[in-house]
Amino acid sequence: MATQATNALPAVHDVPRREVTGAWFLMFGYATLLTGMVWDGQWHGDVGPDDFWTAPHLLLYSGTGIIGLTCLTVVLLSTWARGPVTGTPSVTVFRTFRAPWPFLVGGLGASGNLLYAGADLWWHEVYGFDIAAGATPSHLGLGLSIQVEIFAMVMAFAVLRRTRAERWGLALAVGLATIGSTSAFGMVSELLFDWLPGLAPRVLGLGAAGALTLTLIVGLTRGWHWPAAAGLAFLGVQGALALFAPAATRWYADAIGQPMRDYAANAPQALIGFPATFPLIALVTGGVVAWAVRRGVSPIVITAGVGALVGVNTTLFYAALGMEMSLPVTLLAAVAAGAGTGWVSWQCAVMLRRFGVRTGAVAGAVTA
């Protein structure tokens, strides 16, 4: 049983302006980072040689710098704030600084990113140019740190569901997160499952990434509109990156006197980095959610089913592109991974919704 707190809990609209503004700056920083990351992937495919100081790298680390400074600013403003404690649940760091959870997570991710950036600089200086992403400890560390920054951005917008603009912000955050999660999820899945015969590990990882983001917005919004909105946001982000990265790569190669590879297709790698059919699945998810809610289907069943659907879509997309795999084995594994990720995502959504509803300190609550 639980005894109610004697003091009223602040409502979701009590989120301080510093956290609202900080959430949008986290998104701006991550959008900058993602643009640099996709541009860097296009550069490796079409040109090749690089070092730490190339324009795509500098754009990527500029985005990380924006995230880190945003998190530091919000933490300091939260620490100096007077009056009753409101806003997202926070933790006290070094017995002094009050850090709201999304901005603590974002600060840790940005710190790790910059730390591994130094390792990446050292690696380039020792081993030279054209290091394949994911093949070095520094790239793996960068990918995992970036994933932490993604989680921070989504956490910040999970609190902001008060207005239509903020819910669109959540949809855009999910669209950005879906594309950006390909790096960490792809690398980790290849490390874990590359030894399994017939299985395409990257398909498994990307299916889990898509299942996580899509089912998360289902769990956070509890409606059919916003999964479809997330698909629309994904379409806009992927389309913009597909237009930008090849053009920027050609321009930059000409500017620094680097020739294009003889076999460079000059095709937008952003269109195959994650299934371009994802917006269709997001639209179908909206319909599935509307149908299931009217019939009283359990939310966990809904999210597990949506995750399995994302796994099917990811497998069939890469099979159509000719990726080497055993289709039955990979399809079965992707469906299982997607359904499991959907279940986990629902649990995460439940916790994040409490961040948005129960802001501030919980005074006098007793649980037995």
Side-chain angles (χ1 to χ4, degrees):
M1 60 175 291
T3 303
Q4 293 284 343
T6 55
N7 297 339
L9 294 171
V12 68
H13 61 266
D14 290 331
V15 176
R17 182 176 294 275
R18 60 181 176 269
E19 293 183 26
V20 178
T21 304
W24 290 101
F25 268 94
L26 285 183
M27 178 180 288
F28 172 66
Y30 182 70
T32 303
L33 185 159
L34 179 62
T35 302
M37 186 166 65
V38 173
W39 185 9
D40 186 54
Q42 187 79 37
W43 178 269
H44 275 281
D46 289 353
V47 180
D50 73 343
D51 61 21
F52 181 83
W53 303 105
T54 57
H57 283 182
L58 295 179
L59 190 63
L60 188 158
Y61 294 125
S62 295
T64 293
I66 294 170
I67 293 172
L69 290 173
T70 297
C71 292
L72 176 61
T73 301
V74 172
V75 168
L76 291 177
L77 291 176
S78 299
T79 302
W80 297 333
R82 298 187 178 186
V85 176
T86 62
T88 307
S90 59
V91 62
T92 301
V93 180
F94 299 130
R95 299 183 180 182
T96 303
F97 301 101
R98 192 172 74 83
W101 274 107
F103 300 95
L104 174 64
V105 172
L108 292 174
S111 299
N113 196 336
L114 295 176
L115 176 65
Y116 281 107
D120 190 41
L121 173 59
W122 170 81
W123 190 278
H124 276 290
E125 289 180 346
V126 172
Y127 295 103
F129 302 128
D130 203 18
I131 305 298
T136 69
S138 59
H139 279 94
L140 178 60
L142 283 170
L144 295 176
S145 299
I146 289 171
Q147 191 63 47
V148 174
E149 292 172 294
I150 292 173
F151 289 148
M153 174 184 64
V154 175
M155 288 173 66
F157 276 94
V159 178
L160 307 180
R161 304 185 307 276
R162 308 163 302 173
T163 66
R164 182 173 295 272
E166 290 175 352
R167 290 191 290 272
W168 270 108
L170 175 61
L172 182 54
V174 167
L176 288 164
T178 303
I179 296 177
S181 296
T182 58
S183 176
F185 276 79
M187 285 188 289
V188 170
S189 63
E190 288 175 354
L191 284 174
L192 294 178
F193 303 112
D194 193 43
W195 58 275
L196 290 173
L199 181 67
R202 186 167 181 81
V203 170
L204 198 63
L206 298 192
L212 177 66
T213 55
L214 189 56
T215 56
L216 189 62
I217 196 170
V218 170
L220 286 170
T221 61
R222 311 288 175 90
W224 68 269
H225 304 81
W226 298 107
L232 182 61
F234 174 95
L235 183 65
V237 170
Q238 191 180 51
L241 292 173
L243 291 174
F244 168 80
T249 297
R250 290 194 303 270
W251 168 81
Y252 187 54
D254 290 341
I256 64 174
Q258 285 284 355
M260 303 288 284
R261 293 185 189 271
D262 293 337
Y263 55 83
N266 200 30
Q269 293 190 13
L271 294 180
I272 61 173
F274 194 87
T277 50
F278 181 78
L280 177 61
I281 299 303
L283 183 62
V284 171
T285 294
V288 168
V289 170
W291 174 86
V293 168
R294 284 199 300 268
R295 284 157 179 78
V297 179
S298 168
I300 294 179
V301 174
I302 295 173
T303 53
V306 168
L309 181 63
V310 174
V312 171
N313 172 66
T314 307
T315 305
L316 296 181
F317 179 82
Y318 286 108
L321 291 181
M323 181 178 287
E324 185 178 351
M325 70 175 79
S326 168
L327 183 58
V329 171
T330 303
L331 184 61
L332 181 62
V335 167
T341 304
W343 180 85
V344 171
S345 182
W346 172 259
Q347 311 305 320
C348 294
V350 170
M351 291 188 291
L352 289 173
R353 281 178 66 88
R354 291 173 183 166
F355 272 27
V357 174
R358 294 194 162 207
T359 58
V362 182
V366 179
T367 302

